Amino acid sequence: MTVDSVSLQSAVIRNSYEQDLNKHWEDKQADDINLLLGQMDGLYHHHYAVGDFNRSILLAPEQEREKLILKEMHRLETEQVGLITDALGDLPPTARVMDGGSGRGGTSFMVHDRFGCRVDGVNFCQHHIEFAQKLAQQRGCADKVDFHYANMVETPFEDGTFDAIYTNETTMYVDLHEAFREFARVLRPGGRYVLVTWCRNDTEVAASPDVSAIDDHYVCHIHGRGTYLKALADNGLVPSRVLDLTESAVPYWELRSHSRLKTGVEQPFLDGYRKNHLNYLVIAAEKAVDA
Ligand code: GPP
Ligand code: MG
């Protein structure tokens, strides 16, 4: 690592939690459960999905079954991005959009393909950035889709840069007040923030073993549903849509629990959703013009 890259890294990764988190993602490079799916069509996702799967595939002969399961997981993960594109509404090709926690770029490429807009992905995992940048070159959209090594709560962008921002299942890694303050800063007045997340149902439980097991697995801190709404309001982000898709989030985890690549986090997701201790939410909020 050069002196420049060391100082860039220490500007982006600010404390011991962020160091642990960065290490978790930097070390996660042979994640077949994401790589084998992405290789199917070049869209690499780091999020889950909603909606049912084709249950007849579970009856397929053993040697075909695993292939069909992975294909179906990939179909569901790709379709999940529709939650984001629908909630973004109609964006013109001139729009600028930020992807907070852009991973290997799956959602960024799909948002660009849908609207023709510019997308800036922000992520602090170096191998994800390099991977996504290579894909942007291969897809011929590197002039419109860029990936930045940066912390989504302290981005390098000017005030009011973006027409829209989204986070696709990444906000469990940040302090929501800090993140939403930053998003409100870089959004233009009237600009829209869309988030998809899993969160604790704080109208049911103050803590849950399932939520703790998921936190341990991904080195994250799952926030309460109320914390999301309060942090949005405190930062002048006014919700126009709140969808609770908890029930539809279950089948993806049922499907994944049949895969040979399952990682152990399947049961806590299934139990958390089934007990309604964990919720799957889509929220769209606009930046107030007087914020
Ligand atoms: C896990 O997805 C994703 C998160 C915990 C959200 C953070 C995402 C980033 C891009 C930083 P995964 O697809 O990596 O998990 P798994 O390997 O279990 O499928
Ligand atoms: Mg995955």
Side-chain angles (χ1 to χ4, degrees), residues 25 28 33-34 45-46 48 101 103 169-170 173 198 218 256:
W25 283 99
K28 187 173 161 175
I33 195 153
N34 302 309
H45 301 301
H46 289 275
Y48 311 124
E169 303 189 22
T170 59
Y173 284 129
W198 8 288
Y218 289 118
R256 182 165 150 155

Side-chain angles (χ1 to χ4, degrees), residues 86-104:
D86 282 357
L88 284 171
D90 271 335
L91 287 173
T94 50
R96 279 196 74 172
V97 178
M98 185 179 107
D99 179 340
S102 45
R104 290 183 171 110

Side-chain angles (χ1 to χ4, degrees), residues 67-164:
K67 223 171 131 191
L68 292 170
I69 290 172
L70 298 185
K71 211 170 148 204
E72 192 66 348
M73 275 172 55
H74 188 58
R75 178 185 71 77
L76 288 173
E77 291 182 6
T78 297
E79 283 181 8
Q80 184 267 14
V81 177
L83 298 174
I84 302 263
T85 49
D86 282 357
L88 284 171
D90 271 335
L91 287 173
T94 50
R96 279 196 74 172
V97 178
M98 185 179 107
D99 179 340
S102 45
R104 290 183 171 110
T107 308
S108 303
F109 293 126
M110 287 184 68
V111 168
H112 166 70
D113 289 349
R114 166 77 180 77
F115 300 108
C117 60
R118 187 185 157 105
V119 181
D120 289 281
V122 171
N123 202 322
F124 69 20
C125 171
Q126 197 67 55
H127 74 89
H128 276 186
I129 297 283
E130 285 163 17
F131 192 100
Q133 271 168 340
K134 247 184 232 150
L135 283 174
Q137 296 285 352
Q138 285 165 16
R139 298 173 75 91
C141 62
D143 57 329
K144 296 282 274 228
V145 185
D146 199 3
F147 297 94
H148 307 262
Y149 180 76
N151 190 323
M152 73 161 120
V153 306
E154 262 184 34
T155 70
F157 304 108
E158 300 287 317
D159 294 2
T161 299
F162 294 103
D163 300 288

Side-chain angles (χ1 to χ4, degrees), residues 180-195:
F180 295 171
R181 190 183 325 122
E182 178 67 359
F183 297 169
R185 181 185 74 75
V186 297
L187 260 187
R188 66 162 169 80
R192 181 171 293 174
Y193 169 47
V194 172
L195 78 101

Side-chain angles (χ1 to χ4, degrees), residues 12 22 30 38 41 43 53 109 125 129-130 132 168 197 208 227 234 237 245 268 279 289:
V12 169
N22 175 254
D41 61 3
L43 290 170
F53 64 95
F109 293 126
C125 171
I129 297 283
E130 285 163 17
N168 196 356
T197 195
S208 138
T227 311
D234 286 351
L237 296 167
L245 301 179
N279 288 160
V289 287

